[in-house]
Amino acid sequence: MINDLKKEVQEAEFAEKDSQEDYEKLMADSKAKRAADSQSIEEKTSALADAESELHDLSGEHKDREAEDAAAKEYESKLHTDCDWNMENYESRKEARVAEIESLKKAKDVLNGADFSFVQLESSSSPTLLAKSTAQSCSASDEGHRRMLQSKMALLQGFCEDMCKAVGKHPDCSVCDGFIPPDATPGVQTWDELYAQF
């Protein structure tokens, strides 16, 4: 009976020792697992913070690119409208430019003393020279061109006069080419003015 009791005590001590070793091993494994989990949590938290920062930066870039894209589309739309208008009105604008160039050439020729009593017209078969209906219509046209030129020259003279007044040279301006002093008696003809007309 004593031997059985000793045997049971020994078995209990062995079982306790095994249990103690298992417990210590379990505690060591748990500690290592907790350390690994803590390290993993730190790494994942850091990675999450980096991802959120990158997301914030990318969101800002995305908004900027969306704004640039909207501005580019608006410019493209405006440009497309302008191009469409230019394409639709190309022929009429081309004809207007040609007519304007021809008018300027004729005005220049008239100022140089050219005689346009005959006008050359192009027909489908061959060019022909046709006389104007009356000399009066030609002189009236010339008179209109002369009046237009004189009014433009008068405008330029007004600018020159204003400039001379600003620098204190008016009415004794000797710098401007073809300067005509202002009329001392506007609206009234003097004897000298009457003699100059004859």
Side-chain angles (χ1 to χ4, degrees):
M1 174 121 169
I2 293 172
N3 289 332
D4 291 338
L5 185 60
K6 285 180 181 180
K7 189 177 180 183
E8 288 179 6
V9 169
Q10 282 180 351
E11 288 177 358
E13 286 176 357
F14 283 132
E16 186 179 353
K17 188 177 180 183
D18 289 341
S19 297
Q20 183 68 28
E21 287 176 359
D22 291 342
Y23 174 75
E24 289 174 0
K25 185 179 178 183
L26 178 64
M27 289 295 107
D29 291 344
S30 298
K31 185 177 180 182
K33 188 172 185 317
R34 278 196 305 272
D37 289 345
S38 296
Q39 181 69 25
S40 176
I41 287 171
E42 288 177 7
E43 289 174 359
K44 289 179 179 178
T45 303
S46 175
L48 178 65
D50 292 342
E52 286 177 348
S53 175
E54 187 177 357
L55 175 65
H56 183 267
D57 294 342
L58 291 175
S59 296
E61 288 179 14
H62 180 67
K63 287 180 183 176
D64 292 343
R65 288 185 182 178
E66 278 184 340
E68 288 176 7
D69 188 42
K73 284 181 180 176
E74 183 180 351
Y75 176 74
E76 181 185 7
S77 174
K78 183 179 179 299
L79 191 64
H80 202 298
T81 303
D82 292 345
C83 288
D84 288 345
W85 186 88
N86 285 335
M87 292 296 290
E88 289 170 4
N89 298 296
Y90 173 75
E91 288 301 325
S92 59
R93 292 174 70 223
K94 181 180 175 184
E95 291 171 6
R97 285 292 164 266
V98 170
E100 186 179 355
I101 290 169
E102 288 300 318
S103 298
L104 289 172
K105 284 179 182 176
K106 287 180 183 177
K108 181 181 174 186
D109 291 341
V110 167
L111 292 174
N112 288 333
D115 185 9
F116 281 99
S117 55
F118 289 94
V119 178
Q120 181 176 358
L121 298 176
E122 288 189 10
S123 66
S124 59
S125 58
S126 64
T128 58
L129 291 175
L130 297 175
K132 284 205 170 187
S133 60
T134 61
Q136 185 178 10
S137 64
C138 183
S139 63
S141 174
D142 287 347
E143 186 63 27
H145 287 298
R146 284 193 187 96
R147 283 183 188 161
M148 182 179 68
L149 182 62
Q150 286 173 350
S151 67
K152 288 184 179 180
M153 290 174 70
L155 284 174
L156 290 175
Q157 184 178 359
F159 289 128
C160 183
E161 206 170 291
D162 291 341
M163 188 172 63
C164 290
K165 285 179 183 177
V167 296
K169 293 285 186 181
H170 191 271
D172 301 321
C173 181
S174 59
V175 179
C176 297
D177 293 335
F179 174 73
I180 301 172
D183 189 1
T185 57
V188 177
Q189 283 195 334
T190 63
W191 286 107
D192 292 334
E193 290 172 346
L194 284 172
Y195 286 134
Q197 288 182 0
F198 295 106

